[in-house]
Amino acid sequence: MKKRNLLLAALLLLVVGVVGTTIAYFTDTDNKTNTFTIGNVDIELTETAWNENNAKNLMPGDTVAKNPTITNKSTTNTAYVFAEVDVPCVGTKEIFTYTVDTTKWYVMQNGACTSGKATKRYAYGTESAMTELAASASTPALFSEVTVVNLTNEEAQAIGTE
């Protein structure tokens, strides 16, 4: 009987050891600390070719240099950027035109000039909506010039009255 109790106690001790080791193995944890930092992004719009004096007293068909470029002035953070252009309208006609380099920019929004609406809004993204502008980087110029369209005398007189 003593031998049997001793054998039973040894077996019980072995089972407790195996179960305890298994539980310890499967409940072991390795702690990691995740730190998130919200950074600042400083965006600047520049137009190095723009000269306000050249844009005075324009006539139909005149073209003036204008090269809007977006720069991410942050030295550490990337940014997602897009450009909006509001084109003044007279009735259903835009007052100026420009040509976007569609190999570098794509149209995200294309508004419409309608009677009673003073502007047509365009929105452009670079290459893809998910393209990041790296820290200290600039986009290509959205366009390089704008051209005043031919307006009738009545259309020209209506500028600013709608």
Side-chain angles (χ1 to χ4, degrees):
M1 184 87 167
K2 278 187 182 186
K3 229 179 184 185
R4 184 173 168 215
N5 284 344
L6 189 59
L7 185 60
L8 191 59
L11 185 60
L12 185 60
L13 190 59
L14 180 66
V15 168
V16 168
V18 168
V19 169
T21 302
T22 304
I23 289 173
Y25 177 77
F26 285 114
T27 59
D28 184 27
T29 59
D30 185 13
N31 292 326
K32 299 286 181 198
T33 302
N34 293 308
T35 304
F36 295 92
T37 304
I38 306 298
N40 288 332
V41 176
D42 186 7
I43 301 297
E44 179 180 49
L45 176 68
T46 56
E47 295 177 303
T48 57
W50 175 249
N51 182 336
E52 194 168 326
N53 290 328
N54 293 341
K56 292 180 180 177
N57 301 317
L58 293 174
M59 300 297 290
D62 285 351
T63 297
V64 64
K66 190 168 179 67
N67 61 338
T69 303
I70 302 169
T71 301
N72 180 358
K73 292 175 56 177
S74 171
T75 57
T76 56
N77 298 309
T78 58
Y80 294 99
V81 298
F82 67 95
E84 283 184 347
V85 178
D86 288 337
V87 179
C89 298
V90 174
T92 59
K93 195 175 205 178
E94 296 178 36
I95 293 177
F96 64 84
T97 62
Y98 55 91
T99 302
V100 174
D101 182 350
T102 56
T103 64
K104 297 181 177 130
W105 292 89
Y106 71 99
V107 178
M108 294 170 51
Q109 175 185 336
N110 187 354
C113 286
T114 57
S115 234
K117 186 174 181 184
T119 61
K120 179 176 181 179
R121 176 166 288 170
Y122 293 92
Y124 300 95
T126 55
E127 297 171 15
S128 121
M130 301 311 288
T131 300
E132 293 180 5
L133 182 58
S136 302
S138 295
T139 64
L142 181 59
F143 46 82
S144 60
E145 60 188 21
V146 294
T147 302
V148 179
V149 299
N150 287 322
L151 299 173
T152 65
N153 190 38
E154 292 78 25
E155 290 171 330
Q157 294 297 320
I159 294 174
T161 62
E162 289 191 7

